[in-house]
Amino acid sequence: MTAALDEPRATARRAPLTRLLRSELRMVLRRPRTLIGLALLALVPVVAGIGIAIATGSSSGESVGDGLASLVEGNGLLLPIFGLTMSMTMLLPLTGAMLAADALAGEAANGTLRGLLVAPVGRARLLAVKAFGVAAVSLFAVLLMAATGIVAGLLLLGGDGMLTSSGTTLPFGAGLGRVLLTVVLVTVQVWALAAVALAVSAWTEHPLIVVVVSLGVVIVSGVLSVIPALDWLTPALITTSWEAIPEVVKDPLPTATLLTGVLRAGCYILIGYSIALSRMLTRDG
């Protein structure tokens, strides 16, 4: 009897973190809606490039639009930046919200979240794995759009450098660097909204509610930002940082403005994940 009591108790083995991360990525990337969404995002710069090429070919020197669109003709490296900034109005935020909705609310709706909560993984670790899946696929979506935009821009619009909105021309390497900087800025902003969506996702079992609330945050922020009497609220709105992204085509770079946008997004990421973690530590299914 004593010998039996002295035997070491069996302990549950924790799965390696790398295996959990790989499993989460495989699960997310195997969802048909994820694959369809990525394919549609990849087509956005291509369709925009075709439209601009047709417009410039038949406009007899007239401008094809305002802002970045007016600079894209013969300026192929600007197409991925144009596509990413255009998609930040709805498509990329929607992608981040959908990924976050599937991460927790989708698991709860399917009845699998309860099993994950009682598994020997740890709730903070589980949330970290889910957040990694959302962040990784969001980054992949932005990179995919940038890659298709670069190829489509060079093939359809040409150019061996980048004409900035300041009137200077950057060499190809520097122009490519501006594209990569845009990828970083856009990804951070998508992560910020995804963090808000993840916080909502931790409190509901209905993925559609997560998407609606997240897009509601975007719409309300956009409306509040154009009301002069609420200018004092503008620095706290999540969409304020999005409006500064097109400034990557200025020469020299407005680093202070871009850094402020990154810091604002970082605050949303911290707040969103903190709320999600507090809920995950207390929920029972």
Side-chain angles (χ1 to χ4, degrees), residues 3-260:
L5 292 175
D6 291 339
E7 291 180 357
R9 295 181 178 181
T11 57
R13 297 181 59 188
R14 299 177 67 182
L17 181 60
T18 53
R19 190 171 72 185
L20 292 174
L21 297 178
R22 288 197 303 268
S23 176
E24 179 69 15
L25 278 180
R26 284 197 300 268
M27 182 180 68
V28 175
L29 291 174
R30 285 177 179 175
R31 292 186 183 124
R33 57 182 171 273
T34 302
L35 297 176
I36 293 173
L38 291 174
L40 292 176
L41 287 174
L43 287 175
V44 169
V46 178
V47 173
I50 293 174
I52 292 172
I54 294 175
T56 55
S58 59
S59 61
S60 302
E62 297 180 0
S63 175
V64 297
D66 299 326
L68 290 179
S70 63
L71 299 173
V72 173
E73 180 184 1
N75 200 10
L77 278 181
L78 205 61
L79 181 62
I81 299 177
F82 173 70
L84 288 172
T85 54
M86 181 177 63
S87 298
M88 275 303 297
T89 57
M90 188 59 68
L91 293 179
L92 285 173
L94 178 62
T95 300
M98 290 179 61
L99 291 171
D102 285 334
L104 296 178
E107 295 277 11
N110 294 329
T112 54
L113 184 60
R114 182 180 295 272
L116 292 174
L117 292 176
V118 300
V121 176
R123 298 191 175 197
R125 199 177 189 214
L126 174 62
L127 179 62
V129 171
K130 292 296 183 180
F132 171 81
V134 174
V137 178
S138 300
L139 173 60
F140 179 72
V142 177
L143 284 171
L144 184 61
M145 287 190 67
T148 57
I150 291 172
V151 174
L154 295 178
L155 292 178
L156 296 172
L157 305 174
D160 55 359
M162 176 182 290
L163 176 64
T164 68
S165 59
S166 303
T168 60
T169 301
L170 301 176
F172 183 84
L176 190 60
R178 296 296 180 96
V179 175
L180 295 178
L181 177 60
T182 307
V183 168
V184 173
L185 295 174
V186 169
T187 301
V188 171
Q189 300 305 328
V190 174
W191 285 351
L193 183 67
V196 174
L198 200 64
V200 179
S201 186
W203 286 86
T204 182
E205 297 181 357
H206 304 284
L208 185 59
I209 292 178
V210 180
V211 176
V212 171
V213 171
S214 302
L215 295 184
V217 169
V218 174
I219 294 172
V220 171
S221 296
V223 172
L224 294 179
S225 66
V226 298
I227 300 177
L230 297 178
D231 286 345
W232 57 271
L233 190 60
T234 300
L237 299 177
I238 192 171
T239 55
T240 301
S241 303
W242 303 359
E243 299 170 359
I245 294 177
E247 296 188 9
V248 296
V249 299
K250 289 185 177 180
D251 188 28
L253 274 172
T255 53
T257 302
L258 298 178
L259 182 58
T260 300

